[in-house]
Amino acid sequence: MKDINLKINGKSYRLSTNEDMRLIDVLRDELGLLGSKEGCGEGECGACTILMEGRTVNACMVMAFQTDEKEIITIEGLSNGEQLHPIQQAFIEIGAVQCGFCTPGMILSAKAILDKDTNPTREMIRQGISGNLCRCTGYAKIVDAIELAGKLLRNGGNNCEA
Amino acid sequence: MSLKNVYVAKTLDEVLNLLNQYGCESKLIAGGTDVIIQLREKEISPKVLVDISNLSEINFIDESEDKITIGACTTFTTIAESSILKDKLKGLVQSAESVGSPQIRNAATIGGNICNASMAADIVPPLLALDAEVLIESKAGKRRILLDHFLMGKGKVDIKPEEIVTAITFNKPKNREALGFGKLGLRKALAIARISTAIYLSLDEENTCRKIRIANGAVGFRGMREKEVENIFIGKQLTEDVINMGIEKLREELNQRLAGRSSAEFKTTAIAGIFKKALLETANNCKE
């Protein structure tokens, strides 16, 4: 067993993990953070996308012991209590969620895009979500939602009426 | 489970000691994008995993008067965003940008891409075209070897269990020299290269090819130089005729190498377009 210190969504966890566990296993099986999905398990689909030290990575492509002392954000860390994050609000508003399996990863890739630039071009958005597969929406509404989320962030809130 | 111990290395010295101690029972892990799949498919079963992704000592892009050196643990995102590697080295940036997806590029490293030795490794053709050298260290000392010699075959490189690749180094392009890149995948993101090509070109004022190094990926058991094709171009002006002669030779080479493969016809046809586009872009970049 290997002891690791995890910092997930601002909370510290001290865990004893099996050497062969991946981050996705720890998130889902040990901590019950079921927002991150495991799709392909080989870095193709992006359903397990999380933010590590501010950058998107696939949680199925990181060994748990490699995340010792790393700052991690999962979908569970985005809303502020009942208050949804502007990106989440925008996805609902536009109807960018169908089956929802890709949504947590998609939203974290969206966050990485908008953390860099709250006014990205559609091409920048498409590039930024190119590692997240969605088999329902055809992506158009997801791109629309990320554009709207950028606008909400620029206006400093998640009021879609404004 | 064969995995008994995992280490997060903080210094290169620590890595060298661990490799010396565990040798072939150990495996290095950086970005993990290949190693984790190999572990799970039981293609490899090391007793010890040594994480090197935090080693700042081998995570750098360094520019001297005539050389550029890239630390082995530098990620593709860092390479793609580097202010040192733009303009004349656009081909290197384009190849880094073509790797996997943002998530993969944020984790995967140049050293890992080389050591994994896939025949379709994206960064290998540009580095071969740059005639890059690989810097290797072990507790016993350091050595350097041409990448062209380091790559031995599919999944095989010239490295001992107690050694680690620490950096890649190559000469900086001089005036009227540039590196170009082209890749054909089944789609834009997350595509394994079906064909990739890289061209290092040196043109004089008369548009005559002083030097050229061409390397292709995914058309052989490893990325490889196309010396026969290079010979067509050297000392000649880059006219339409010469370019077409070069393409003919390239197709001949590929035809031989891919004989019997189902992809041969497609690849020998498609290479013409990919190569020509990359060559013309590189020639323009030489003149800028």
Side-chain angles (χ1 to χ4, degrees):
Chain A
M1 300 295 273
K2 175 83 177 172
D3 289 339
I4 53 172
N5 290 311
L6 285 173
K7 293 182 214 161
I8 302 173
N9 303 327
K11 263 171 79 178
S12 291
Y13 299 84
R14 183 156 181 86
L15 283 175
S16 225
T17 59
N18 284 336
E19 283 78 0
D20 65 347
M21 273 184 151
R22 301 162 303 166
L23 178 58
I24 186 72
D25 305 321
V26 168
L27 292 175
R28 292 184 58 87
D29 303 341
E30 300 293 306
L31 301 175
L33 295 169
L34 301 175
S36 309
K37 307 291 186 253
E38 180 167 9
C40 65
E42 50 187 33
E44 292 277 335
C45 76
C48 65
T49 301
I50 51 104
L51 292 172
M52 185 159 85
E53 305 285 309
R55 288 188 189 271
T56 54
V57 294
N58 295 313
C60 74
M61 295 272 89
V62 186
M63 296 302 276
F65 80 92
Q66 293 183 288
T67 64
D68 192 29
E69 303 294 343
K70 296 265 162 75
E71 202 79 52
I72 287 161
I73 295 175
T74 68
I75 191 67
E76 288 88 349
L78 251 62
S79 66
N80 182 7
E82 294 288 297
Q83 172 95 347
L84 290 179
H85 188 281
I87 303 173
Q88 295 171 309
Q89 192 64 52
F91 268 62
I92 294 171
E93 195 65 29
I94 298 285
V97 180
Q98 286 189 26
C99 88
F101 196 83
C102 75
T103 309
M106 199 64 88
I107 286 179
L108 288 162
S109 282
K111 186 171 189 313
I113 300 166
L114 297 171
D115 280 349
K116 263 194 182 167
D117 184 349
T118 54
N119 197 11
T121 63
R122 287 181 79 85
E123 181 56 31
M124 283 159 69
I125 295 172
R126 286 188 168 273
Q127 284 270 356
I129 59 168
S130 61
N132 296 80
L133 300 186
C134 171
R135 299 290 83 160
C136 304
T137 65
Y139 301 100
K141 296 220 166 193
I142 293 174
V143 177
D144 292 347
I146 298 172
E147 271 190 325
L148 173 62
K151 199 171 139 201
L152 297 178
L153 286 163
R154 294 199 300 281
N155 294 339
N158 62 0
N159 182 0
C160 297
E161 310 299 317
Chain B
M1 182 181 69
S2 67
L3 204 51
K4 294 269 184 299
N5 241 323
V6 291
Y7 295 92
V8 177
K10 298 272 189 257
T11 65
L12 185 57
D13 258 350
E14 215 180 317
V15 179
L16 298 181
N17 281 327
L18 286 166
L19 290 176
N20 192 56
Q21 185 182 344
Y22 293 108
C24 54
E25 293 189 324
S26 63
K27 180 84 185 169
L28 299 176
I29 180 168
T33 54
D34 287 313
V35 169
I36 292 178
I37 293 175
Q38 290 161 2
L39 280 172
R40 290 172 61 80
E41 308 216 319
K42 302 202 162 45
E43 285 170 29
I44 56 171
S45 44
K47 285 197 174 140
V48 175
L49 266 187
V50 183
D51 173 41
I52 54 171
S53 60
N54 295 300
L55 281 191
S56 50
E57 284 165 273
I58 55 171
N59 180 357
F60 62 86
I61 301 175
D62 186 46
E63 183 182 26
S64 71
E65 206 175 311
D66 54 352
K67 289 223 170 242
I68 287 174
T69 306
I70 304 177
C73 269
T74 308
T75 65
F76 289 113
T77 299
T78 306
I79 292 171
E81 290 172 353
S82 162
S83 56
I84 295 175
L85 302 176
K86 50 185 194 184
D87 302 334
K88 298 291 180 186
L89 287 165
K90 208 162 78 185
L92 202 58
V93 171
Q94 287 169 327
S95 86
E97 283 171 342
S98 81
V99 173
S101 64
Q103 292 92 320
I104 303 277
R105 293 193 290 277
N106 284 340
T109 63
I110 184 171
N113 199 228
I114 291 169
C115 290
N116 189 53
S118 156
M119 54 190 274
D122 286 303
I123 206 78
V124 163
L127 290 176
L128 284 174
L130 286 164
D131 213 15
E133 279 187 312
V134 182
L135 308 184
I136 297 167
E137 285 191 37
S138 70
K139 215 166 152 53
K142 300 182 186 187
R143 66 181 176 110
R144 46 202 302 158
I145 177 171
L146 276 174
L147 177 63
D148 204 7
H149 298 155
F150 181 70
L151 298 170
M152 293 165 72
K154 195 179 165 201
K156 270 199 198 143
V157 291
D158 178 13
I159 195 160
K160 295 187 194 82
E162 64 274 16
E163 289 181 321
I164 175 176
V165 169
T166 54
I168 323 300
T169 184
F170 51 84
N171 287 330
K172 259 161 76 171
K174 299 191 185 73
N175 194 21
R176 295 188 70 85
E177 296 185 358
L179 175 76
F181 177 76
K183 170 173 166 177
L184 183 70
L186 292 182
R187 65 191 192 100
K188 229 170 158 183
L190 286 163
I192 307 287
R194 299 305 305 276
I195 301 175
S196 59
T197 189
I199 303 158
Y200 190 87
L201 187 62
S202 169
L203 283 182
D204 73 7
E205 307 292 331
E206 268 78 56
N207 208 26
T208 301
C209 175
R210 285 183 295 210
K211 263 190 287 182
I212 187 168
R213 288 191 296 264
I214 301 164
N216 290 324
V219 292
F221 61 89
R222 43 157 281 200
M224 46 177 99
R225 282 277 295 277
E226 306 287 355
K227 294 193 178 169
E228 296 292 323
V229 185
E230 293 169 8
N231 288 336
I232 302 267
F233 288 100
I234 290 169
K236 297 204 191 80
Q237 270 194 331
L238 269 194
T239 60
E240 191 73 23
D241 278 352
V242 170
I243 293 173
N244 287 337
M245 271 163 60
I247 290 172
E248 241 353 273
K249 187 78 200 165
L250 186 54
R251 296 181 61 175
E252 251 173 59
E253 292 288 309
L254 257 58
N255 239 331
Q256 280 177 22
R257 210 177 299 150
L258 299 173
R261 284 174 183 259
S262 58
S263 61
E265 196 184 338
F266 161 69
K267 286 190 176 180
T268 46
T269 306
I271 188 81
I274 301 287
F275 177 75
K276 188 168 183 180
K277 182 164 174 273
L279 181 63
L280 294 176
E281 274 175 20
T282 315
N284 276 334
N285 196 4
C286 285
K287 294 169 202 160
E288 271 165 21

